[in-house]
Amino acid sequence: MSTGPFTGRIAAVTGGGSGIGAACCRMLASRGAKVAVLDVDRAAAKAVAAEVGGAAFTLDVGRMDANEATAAAVQAELGPADILVTCAGVLQRPLRAEEITEAEVARVIRIDQIGTWNSAMAFGRRMAMRAYGSIITIASIAGVRSMPLHAYSPAKAAVIEMTRCLAAEWGRSGVRVNAVSPGFTRTPGLQAEIERGERDVTRLEDASALGQMIMPEDVAEAVCFLASDAARAITGINLPVDAGWLVAGSWAAYGGLPAARGNAATRGRGA
Ligand SMILES: NC(=O)c1ccc[n+]([C@@H]2O[C@H](COP(=O)([O-])OP(=O)(O)OC[C@H]3O[C@@H](n4cnc5c(N)ncnc54)[C@H](O)[C@@H]3O)[C@@H](O)[C@H]2O)c1
């Protein structure tokens, strides 16, 4: 078993069966945590749990009663959760506002917004009673800037604001609540959209200051920092992990980002 900053800690990760959630499970476990992998996809949760020596739980985050039952089951099987990471989510096809159906809006809001609330409540209320805990919600850069994602963008903005509200609600109870907002991240979820032609890799890379996409491990590093006691004075923030996408966009009005300076042969090596 690995030891590290999370030795003796129990971490629950919703959407832990794939992408960013799976990367969080691996990193938390490699740094000592006992991990509960929560996912609506039972087989995916079991595979990641087996890999990290954790426990799998089947959960549809959109149902409050299911979140309550899962928080109780995690507590009974592993002990009370010290860390919750809410990665469960669905992406959305870019559509004109007039084209998106009521059913699609409801689907995205039910999982991305209400699902995050449900998990935070089920686990957070238990943390507050124990006066210890760290919750990290996974929002998105789409929650900070508008995109042609008329359900997803507002749902992620709501996640950022609910993070702030809960941070204030539970601060005196020893529970920190922070958001991480990934940029375009190479996960099975986004890869499927790239393969359907709904996202273009070159465009996604070019839109960021660093000229790159995000890897799931980049997001997991930020999550692990916020989950750890090293971040004990931090609550209520939204931390973008976006390769500088948020700072780069407004440069389009001035002709775009400047070309790279320096020697291409030594770039990235600090030489
Ligand atoms: N990939 C990106 O570019 C990107 C960017 C910003 C934010 N995000 C967010 O990160 C999170 C993870 O995304 P990803 O790209 O790793 O996606 P992914 O599709 O690879 O993984 C998402 C996981 O969530 C699970 N899930 C879906 N609905 C669920 C439900 N109702 N209950 C429980 N589990 C459910 C899926 O089974 C899957 O295992 C999402 O909230 C997404 O919005 C992703």
Side-chain angles (χ1 to χ4, degrees):
M1 198 171 123
S2 305
T3 56
F6 302 122
T7 300
R9 299 274 161 81
I10 290 152
V13 181
T14 73
S18 177
I20 291 168
C24 290
C25 291
R26 292 187 187 104
M27 202 170 281
L28 286 160
S30 74
R31 296 176 187 182
K34 191 82 179 161
V35 176
V37 186
L38 281 37
D39 206 293
V40 73
D41 183 336
R42 182 172 178 71
K46 282 178 87 169
V48 173
E51 190 191 324
V52 305
F57 297 83
T58 309
L59 169 67
D60 174 1
V61 295
R63 287 181 42 214
M64 189 66 203
D65 59 342
N67 280 275
E68 280 293 342
T70 303
V74 169
Q75 187 157 333
E77 196 167 319
L78 303 179
D82 304 293
I83 298 161
L84 170 70
V85 190
T86 64
C87 297
V90 286
L91 305 179
Q92 191 218 309
R93 206 151 60 89
L95 286 170
R96 301 275 70 84
E98 295 86 344
E99 288 166 3
I100 188 167
T101 63
E102 184 182 359
E104 175 69 344
V105 173
R107 180 185 78 96
V108 172
I109 288 177
R110 186 185 89 89
I111 298 172
D112 291 354
Q113 179 180 338
I114 300 173
T116 302
W117 166 259
N118 289 344
S119 303
M121 283 309 301
F123 284 87
R125 74 165 86 241
R126 288 172 165 78
M127 292 175 178
M129 293 310 290
R130 291 173 60 224
Y132 184 82
S134 176
I135 298 174
I136 298 96
T137 59
I138 301 299
S140 171
I141 51 171
V144 185
R145 295 277 188 277
S146 86
M147 292 189 186
L149 304 171
H150 293 282
Y152 184 84
S153 238
K156 290 299 187 178
V159 169
I160 293 167
E161 196 52 39
M162 108 179 39
T163 301
R164 295 191 184 112
C165 292
L166 290 176
E169 180 75 39
W170 287 329
R172 299 294 169 91
S173 302
V175 182
R176 296 184 298 105
V177 192
N178 291 293
V180 168
S181 280
F184 300 102
T185 309
R186 297 295 295 241
T187 64
L190 188 66
Q191 193 61 38
E193 301 198 326
I194 292 167
E195 279 158 24
R196 286 198 299 269
E198 293 169 9
R199 305 279 200 278
D200 179 274
V201 173
T202 309
R203 280 197 184 165
L204 299 183
E205 288 175 345
D206 282 353
S208 75
L210 297 178
Q212 65 191 47
M213 287 184 66
I214 314 299
M215 299 308 289
E217 296 71 28
D218 299 326
V219 182
E221 282 286 4
V223 166
C224 283
F225 167 65
L226 289 171
S228 76
D229 289 343
R232 65 181 184 272
I234 302 175
T235 196
I237 68 154
N238 175 37
L239 174 58
V241 179
D242 68 341
W245 185 90
L246 287 168
V247 296
S250 51
W251 285 58
Y254 297 88
L257 296 167
R261 278 78 142 187
N263 181 346
T266 57
R267 193 169 300 136
R269 287 195 260 137

